[in-house]
Amino acid sequence: MNKLFKALTASAAGLFAAAALSLTVCAEDYVFDIPDPVQTDGSWGQSFVYYTANDEGHPGNFDATWMTSDSEVIVEYTYEGESSSKSPAELIWQTWEGGPVEPNPDVKRSWNKVTPYEYDDTTAKFSFEDIAAKYGTDDFSTVYAINVGDTGVKLTVTGVTITNCNIPAEEEEADAETEEETEEEDEADTGEEDIEAETEETEAETEAETETEKVTEKETEATTTVKETKAPETEAPTAETTTNIADNAPKEGGGGAVVITVIIIVVVVAAIAAGVYFVVKNNKGKYY
């Protein structure tokens, strides 16, 4: 009997642990997107305003009913000045009449301020229990807006996270598809920017080449102009110039003939002298 009781107890403990594990796995943190943080003017204004999916016109936004008893709101911020309250930031759970759901009679007021159970100079934490107590109920189906305001300082909210939420699977898939579409749009935008950059670069190169061609043409024109300017002017010879040239030219005739004749005579005389010399020499040989 004791063995059977122990076996049943062990089985029950195992089932409980498995159920607890499944709940832990399903619980997720929801991180709000704050692309442009806003600084308040220090007069109890709001740096963070977010309309939930419970309000009409905001499908796909965070639904406050996804929170669990283990959830807490974590707010990150910077601020300037000294707060008249203990914390520089306060959480505001907001509702109003005329929403898509009938007003919950347990809700205390439309503007419900919650103080953090823990905070420092950069972070404040708000528990699910404290939020439900200030709101009047843990049924958050009529929470239409979540706000974070300052307590007399210039507050800038840089991050808001709600932990341990039971987010439906279809919402997770929708968020994943939205992220993929955003990444594709970013890639497409990057491609268009690259094309525009290449087009602008090509246009700039074309303009530079055109300017270079224009400069070259101007330099060529300038060089041609200089050559044409420096070229001497040639005039056709006139009749008077021709006559002067003819008058100054050396005259053909006697001079050349006389020189040739003298040369011939010299040669002939030399030949005769040589002949006489040889004849005389030969005759001397005969007489002696």
Side-chain angles (χ1 to χ4, degrees):
M1 187 69 178
N2 290 335
K3 291 182 180 180
L4 178 61
F5 178 79
K6 289 180 180 180
L8 292 174
T9 303
S11 299
L15 292 173
F16 179 82
L21 180 61
S22 63
L23 289 175
T24 302
V25 171
C26 292
E28 297 181 14
D29 296 347
Y30 189 94
V31 181
F32 293 83
D33 184 25
I34 307 178
D36 300 310
V38 176
Q39 184 184 54
T40 65
D41 58 4
S43 57
W44 301 82
Q46 286 72 56
S47 175
F48 177 80
V49 177
Y50 182 89
Y51 296 99
T52 69
N54 307 110
D55 182 34
E56 289 181 336
H58 300 90
N61 280 9
F62 177 79
D63 190 333
T65 61
W66 296 345
M67 295 176 66
T68 67
S69 58
D70 295 325
S71 296
E72 63 180 13
V73 179
I74 302 175
V75 179
E76 298 174 64
Y77 51 77
T78 60
Y79 70 95
E80 299 175 9
E82 295 183 2
S83 174
S84 59
S85 177
K86 291 183 178 181
S87 169
E90 61 183 5
L91 180 68
I92 302 165
W93 231 235
Q94 185 181 6
T95 186
W96 51 75
E97 294 183 0
V101 180
E102 290 293 327
N104 188 329
D106 295 330
V107 175
K108 294 182 177 180
R109 57 187 66 85
S110 60
W111 192 261
N112 303 276
K113 295 183 177 183
V114 186
T115 57
Y117 74 87
E118 180 181 310
Y119 68 91
D120 55 28
D121 288 338
T122 61
T123 307
K125 297 181 179 181
F126 304 83
S127 68
F128 181 89
E129 184 179 357
D130 290 343
I131 296 171
K134 288 290 183 179
Y135 191 63
T137 177
D138 59 5
D139 178 6
F140 295 153
S141 59
T142 57
V143 175
Y144 300 139
I146 298 173
N147 311 283
V148 179
D150 72 74
T151 57
V153 297
K154 293 182 178 180
L155 179 72
T156 303
V157 174
T158 57
V160 176
T161 301
I162 299 181
T163 66
N164 298 314
C165 297
N166 286 333
I167 303 174
E170 58 269 17
E171 294 294 339
E172 294 178 4
E173 293 176 358
D175 291 341
E177 290 176 359
T178 302
E179 290 179 0
E180 290 178 0
E181 291 175 357
T182 302
E183 291 177 357
E184 291 176 356
E185 290 176 357
D186 291 341
E187 291 176 357
D189 292 342
T190 303
E192 292 176 358
E193 290 176 358
D194 292 340
I195 293 172
E196 290 177 357
E198 291 176 358
T199 304
E200 290 176 357
E201 184 177 353
T202 303
E203 291 177 353
E205 291 177 353
T206 304
E207 290 178 0
E209 292 175 357
T210 304
E211 291 296 330
T212 303
E213 292 175 357
K214 289 181 179 178
V215 171
T216 305
E217 290 176 359
K218 289 181 179 179
E219 291 177 352
T220 304
E221 291 175 0
T223 305
T224 304
T225 304
V226 171
K227 289 182 178 179
E228 291 177 353
T229 303
K230 292 182 178 180
E233 296 181 358
T234 304
E235 296 181 357
T238 60
E240 183 179 356
T241 305
T242 306
T243 302
N244 293 334
I245 293 172
D247 292 342
N248 295 327
K251 294 182 180 179
E252 298 179 358
V258 171
V259 172
I260 295 171
T261 302
V262 171
I263 293 172
I264 293 171
I265 292 171
V266 171
V267 173
V268 171
V269 171
I272 292 172
V276 172
Y277 171 77
F278 286 111
V279 169
V280 172
K281 186 176 181 181
N282 290 333
N283 288 334
K284 283 182 178 182
K286 290 179 180 182
Y287 291 116
Y288 295 97

